[in-house]
Amino acid sequence: MAEWTEIRLPDIGDFQEVDVIEVLVRVHDKVAAEDTLLTLETDKAVMDIPAPKSGVIREVKVAAGDKISKGDLIFLMEAESEDISESPVDENADVHQEGAELLTPAAVSTPALPVEKIPSEAPPASDAGFPKEPPPLPVDASKLNPAQLPLASPSVRRFARTLAVDLNHVEGSGRNGRILKEDVQTHVKARLQQASSIDAGPGFLSWPKIDFSRFGEIHTEPLSRIKKLSGANLHRNWRMIPHVTQHDEADITDMEGFRKESASQAEARGVKMTPLVFLIKACAAALKQYPQFKASLSEDGETLILKHYCHIGVAVDTPEGLLVPVLRHCDQKGLLELAVELGDLSARAREKKLKLEEMEGGCFSISSLGGIGGTGFTPIINAPEVAILGVSSASQKAVYRDGTFVPRLMLPLSLSYDHRVIDGADAVRFTRYLSRRLSDIRQLLL
Ligand code: CAO
């Protein structure tokens, strides 16, 4: 049904002759109830005038720069009905005006429109055009709420919304402090610069600016490209993932005996068999048993992506910084094969000869500092992975067994996990499983 509605400026408070600063709709625009139609500005506030109902704008009676007051006609709208379409008009259709809100196309001298259904109780259309006294409009003036709106036009507000910018935090450079599009852009630029700097973010103190030369001689060196890249990743992962680190240890006395025995055999093939190779093998078994440790969380945090493959990344310390090449299908490979691959990847990492794809696709990482020392540390998860195993130096410890202390070679393990995905109990189960696997060489070789 074609119903034409006059939209007049509702009561907006004690304002007369208010400036129209923006008209948001044009003739033929389809609007939904509450969509903003135009923006007014007084010396105190900017306010949006919403559509009282859904429909199609048939005439625009105001333009930017006009001054309008309560009751002024601002739009003619064809209220939404099944019959609103772009189809040609039945020019012979009988049309009526329903109260003052319903105006016929003839009465408002608009282009021909599809008018088919007429309310039976409607009074006849007036030849004189619009009624002199407009009826109260169904605009909910409480929704205008000018005091709470930052001074900005709807298009600027829309622009800010698309960038998720809260206008309450944007400083306006326009008249009366009105926020302009450029102000939003400046705000976003500043926030991006802030985010990429080493500042921790809103609410944190900024990084101390200190002239160290006041205290003694200094020189500066630029960070390597790898350090900058890995630093940005580590920073993000540390801030975004709720880390917990589970510490444990494994008795690798028998494993070390076996490793030393097989070392010469490996060496003959030009391969170094270090404890790390055994750790990769044990982790592959543990990841099979606890597949959530090689899962990833979807970007929106709603879904867990479980992988049916087992690719393990190994942190390699290079002169340029940390690199993490990935060993593929670790669950399908023997110790010797893993040792060959680890040797090759770590050598090429140090020579900067790794290909990009050799650092992709990992499901879990191992960071071994055991060759250097240490008793435990807190590795940072390599997102989008959900866990990483840190390995420190094995050392002889007195272990109480069968009523007596015996010397055993104990390996410290530090498992950091994403607490959004993994529970503490599962983390201990994982490290306990690993520990058993490493302690029992027969199981490890299986
Ligand atoms: N406990 C005791 N000794 C260990 C050990 C451990 N957990 N792990 C290795 N070792 C020993 C090895 O057996 C080897 O001894 P020998 O030369 O007598 O055989 C020696 O330490 C050196 O081992 P390695 O470091 O050459 O070999 P690896 O397989 O253990 O490690 C690699 C290879 C590439 C991972 C390692 O060289 C490396 O770069 N580690 C640093 C990783 C890193 O920086 N992680 C931190 C990330 S967070 O900042």
Side-chain angles (χ1 to χ4, degrees):
M1 183 171 73
E3 295 178 349
W4 282 50
T5 304
E6 279 185 335
I7 301 178
R8 291 175 182 269
L9 187 64
D11 185 358
I12 53 169
D14 290 336
F15 299 109
Q16 286 295 318
E17 300 286 293
V18 180
D19 287 329
V20 174
I21 59 162
E22 201 168 358
V23 179
L24 277 300
V25 289
R26 287 178 301 189
V27 173
H28 304 314
D29 277 0
K30 212 168 174 182
V31 296
E34 302 299 328
D35 278 359
T36 302
L37 301 178
L38 84 163
T39 306
L40 306 178
E41 186 185 64
T42 69
D43 54 352
K44 293 205 180 103
V46 170
M47 61 193 100
D48 290 346
I49 305 299
K53 55 171 84 172
S54 305
V56 176
I57 298 296
R58 291 307 180 190
E59 273 200 33
V60 177
K61 297 288 188 184
V62 283
D66 287 357
K67 285 186 184 296
I68 57 174
S69 303
K70 178 187 165 189
D72 284 352
L73 179 66
I74 48 182
F75 296 100
L76 290 174
M77 178 202 261
E78 184 181 353
E80 189 171 69
S81 75
E82 287 164 13
D83 302 325
I84 288 181
S85 70
E86 305 302 324
S87 60
V89 182
D90 175 1
E91 296 200 81
N92 299 319
D94 189 11
V95 288
H96 295 272
Q97 176 185 342
E98 184 182 59
E101 275 193 34
L102 301 176
L103 295 176
T104 64
V108 294
S109 326
T110 53
L113 285 158
V115 187
E116 284 161 28
K117 287 190 236 147
I118 296 119
S120 56
E121 69 279 17
S126 157
D127 284 344
F130 303 121
K132 286 203 172 80
E133 283 299 314
L137 282 163
V139 172
D140 181 355
S142 67
K143 292 203 171 108
L144 302 177
N145 213 4
Q148 287 171 20
L149 291 172
L151 282 168
S153 72
S155 62
V156 170
R157 258 182 253 142
R158 236 191 337 264
F159 177 63
R161 259 200 308 276
T162 58
L163 298 173
V165 170
D166 180 352
L167 285 180
N168 289 304
H169 298 136
V170 180
E171 212 169 302
S173 65
R175 193 159 61 95
N176 297 326
R178 188 143 74 91
I179 299 165
L180 311 175
K181 193 175 176 189
E182 298 75 59
D183 297 327
V184 178
Q185 285 166 331
T186 308
H187 174 84
V188 170
K189 246 185 243 168
R191 293 300 296 267
L192 284 174
Q193 270 161 6
Q194 197 184 13
S196 63
S197 78
I198 51 177
D199 280 347
F204 284 81
L205 287 176
S206 58
W207 198 256
K209 288 186 180 68
I210 293 173
D211 175 9
F212 296 98
S213 65
R214 281 173 48 222
F215 312 112
E217 206 177 315
I218 58 163
H219 82 278
T220 59
E221 279 174 10
L223 276 184
S224 73
R225 200 178 59 84
I226 292 177
K227 274 225 164 76
K228 277 193 207 156
L229 283 173
S230 62
N233 275 304
L234 290 165
H235 189 195
R236 178 203 56 202
N237 300 348
W238 182 247
R239 297 248 347 238
M240 292 181 73
I241 302 173
H243 282 71
V244 178
T245 304
Q246 174 64 51
H247 298 284
D248 209 331
E249 55 185 6
D251 181 341
I252 58 163
T253 315
D254 297 343
M255 187 199 95
E256 265 303 275
F258 177 82
R259 185 181 75 84
K260 285 191 173 136
E261 276 172 29
S262 51
S264 52
Q265 199 187 336
E267 255 171 52
R269 298 177 61 173
V271 181
K272 196 168 174 192
M273 187 75 85
T274 63
L276 185 53
V277 180
F278 292 79
L279 277 154
I280 296 170
K281 184 89 181 139
C283 282
L287 291 169
K288 190 170 182 186
Q289 186 75 13
Y290 301 100
Q292 70 271 37
F293 285 79
K294 61 180 171 83
S296 285
L297 205 51
S298 61
E299 214 181 315
D300 60 6
E302 302 274 330
T303 316
L304 203 57
I305 301 142
L306 290 145
K307 297 150 201 167
H308 297 202
Y309 49 84
C310 182
H311 305 336
I312 297 179
V314 173
V316 177
D317 177 34
T318 80
E320 300 291 310
L322 194 66
L323 288 175
V324 188
V326 175
L327 285 90
R328 316 235 150 217
H329 303 295
C330 298
D331 53 334
Q332 297 166 24
K333 291 175 180 164
L335 287 169
L336 206 57
E337 199 176 354
L338 289 171
V340 172
E341 247 180 72
L342 177 64
D344 169 53
L345 286 171
S346 53
R348 283 194 292 115
R350 291 190 172 116
E351 292 158 14
K352 295 198 232 168
K353 286 187 181 156
L354 279 183
K355 294 183 202 132
L356 188 63
E357 59 263 30
E358 289 176 311
M359 291 185 277
E360 290 175 337
C363 326
F364 179 85
S365 295
I366 303 178
S367 174
S368 174
L369 292 171
I372 306 165
T375 54
F377 65 108
T378 311
I380 298 177
I381 296 163
N382 188 14
E385 295 167 17
V386 295
I388 178 168
L389 181 73
V391 185
S392 297
S393 238
S395 63
Q396 291 288 346
K397 283 190 178 173
V399 176
Y400 195 68
R401 263 197 197 167
D402 305 326
T404 181
F405 282 100
V406 287
R408 303 296 295 178
L409 186 64
M410 304 302 288
L411 179 72
L413 304 170
S414 308
L415 177 79
S416 291
Y417 58 91
D418 183 336
H419 210 344
R420 293 171 301 177
V421 177
I422 291 160
D423 294 332
D426 282 340
V428 191
R429 284 186 195 109
F430 187 90
T431 59
R432 284 288 75 213
Y433 182 92
L434 252 187
S435 175
R436 282 196 302 277
R437 209 79 193 184
L438 290 163
S439 302
D440 184 348
I441 189 67
R442 288 160 308 176
Q443 273 201 50
L444 193 58
L445 293 175
L446 280 177

